[in-house]
């Protein structure tokens, strides 16, 4: 199905407007209202988390919408592959692994074919699997050579994956006793991936969302699960 540049730009601005209207409701809905296609539900949640980071950086509305657009289209060339991997309980096959490594470049090229998108949007799509230590793909970029939009998207992508889980991996539950400060939460969510990511951005996202992001499942002291409806503004303070 053909999609136009204007449709994608309008979609990113519409999502930005909805996030501005009620960010907590958007985040809660993105986590708890499951899409028929996991690939779509995932990019919507990643887009909202990217909006949180863009706003924390005090980017203007046009920049925020562009960063959101990058998140929405990061897997545009391989959405069906994401759906396959979500349902898969095994490690990727060699063929799937090859497609995974190619999808940032293929998605960026598809966008360039569709129309003219701004550089942060294309950078986010083409480099959202690059790692700070140079171990990512497709170009093994390192540190500040990775565009800000891509570094934000990388953090948001991993955070969203931890929140929602997949067939082979349970979602991360929020334990009240463990979520006492920013560093504990960073460790709980990102674990061994911290060395791959922009450290200030991880801290900034946690500070923006608070101890309990809207829509998250929380294990209460009586061992029951609860869903968080609203964050507490400024709960963790500035990063």
């Amino acid at each position: 199905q053909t999609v136009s540049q204007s449709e994608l730009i309008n979609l990113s601005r519409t999502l930005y407007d909805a996030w501005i209207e009620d960010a907590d409701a958007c985040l809660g809905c993105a986590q708890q209202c499951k899409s028929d296609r996991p690939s779509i539900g995932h990019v919507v949640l990643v887009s909202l988390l990217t909006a949180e980071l863009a706003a924390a950086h005090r980017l203007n509305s046009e920049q925020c919408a562009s960063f959101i657009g990058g998140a929405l289209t990061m897997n545009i060339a391989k959405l069906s592959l994401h759906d396959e991997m979500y349902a898969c309980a095994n490690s990727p096959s060699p063929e799937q692994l090859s497609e995974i490594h190619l999808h940032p470049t293929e998605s960026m090229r598809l966008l360039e074919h569709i129309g003219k998108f701004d550089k942060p949007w294309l950078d986010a799509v083409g480099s959202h699997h690059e790692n700070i230590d140079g171990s990512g793909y497709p170009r093994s970029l390192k540190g500040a050579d990775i565009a800000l939009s891509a570094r934000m998207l990388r953090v948001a992508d991993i955070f969203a994956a931890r929140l929602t889980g997949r067939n082979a991996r349970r979602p991360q539950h929020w334990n009240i006793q463990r979520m006492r400060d920013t560093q504990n939460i960073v460790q709980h969510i990102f674990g061994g991936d911290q060395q791959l990511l922009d450290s200030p951005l991880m801290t900034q996202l946690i500070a923006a969302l608070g101890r309990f992001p809207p829509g998250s499942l929380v294990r209460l002291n009586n061992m029951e699960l609860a869903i968080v409806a609203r964050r507490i503004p400024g709960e963790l303070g500035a990063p």
Side-chain angles (χ1 to χ4, degrees), residues 46-66:
V46 174
S47 300
L48 295 169
L49 295 172
T50 301
E52 296 283 341
L53 280 170
H57 263 68
R58 303 184 186 281
L59 301 183
N60 62 40
S61 60
E62 289 298 317
Q63 291 171 313
C64 287
S66 177

Side-chain angles (χ1 to χ4, degrees), residues 92-213:
S93 67
E95 293 78 13
Q96 288 172 324
L97 199 57
S98 177
E99 287 190 76
I100 288 169
H101 286 161
L102 288 172
H103 86 268
T105 301
E106 291 185 357
S107 294
M108 185 176 68
R109 287 175 177 167
L110 178 57
L111 289 174
E112 290 173 333
H113 176 74
I114 290 172
K116 186 174 178 60
F117 297 88
D118 64 26
K119 189 174 187 302
W121 186 319
L122 294 176
D123 284 340
V125 173
S127 302
H128 72 276
H129 277 286
E130 301 288 357
N131 295 325
I132 289 294
D133 65 357
S135 65
Y137 58 87
R139 293 189 291 159
S140 300
L141 298 178
K142 188 174 182 178
D145 290 337
I146 307 169
L148 176 62
S149 58
R151 282 181 277 136
M152 285 186 179
L153 183 46
R154 184 75 170 124
V155 169
D157 190 15
I158 290 180
F159 192 97
R162 297 293 190 272
L163 288 182
T164 56
R166 59 173 51 179
N167 224 21
R169 182 184 64 238
R170 293 174 62 83
Q172 292 278 43
H173 298 309
W174 257 228
N175 183 297
I176 290 176
Q177 298 303 317
R178 295 175 65 181
M179 301 296 101
R180 295 190 177 279
D181 58 48
T182 301
Q183 286 309 118
N184 280 343
I185 301 173
V186 168
Q187 177 60 39
H188 178 62
I189 292 298
F190 295 103
D193 288 329
Q194 292 179 67
Q195 64 183 10
L196 310 178
L197 306 173
D198 188 314
S199 181
L201 291 180
M202 286 187 287
T203 303
Q204 198 167 40
L205 181 57
I206 297 299
L209 295 174
R211 291 173 68 202
F212 308 110

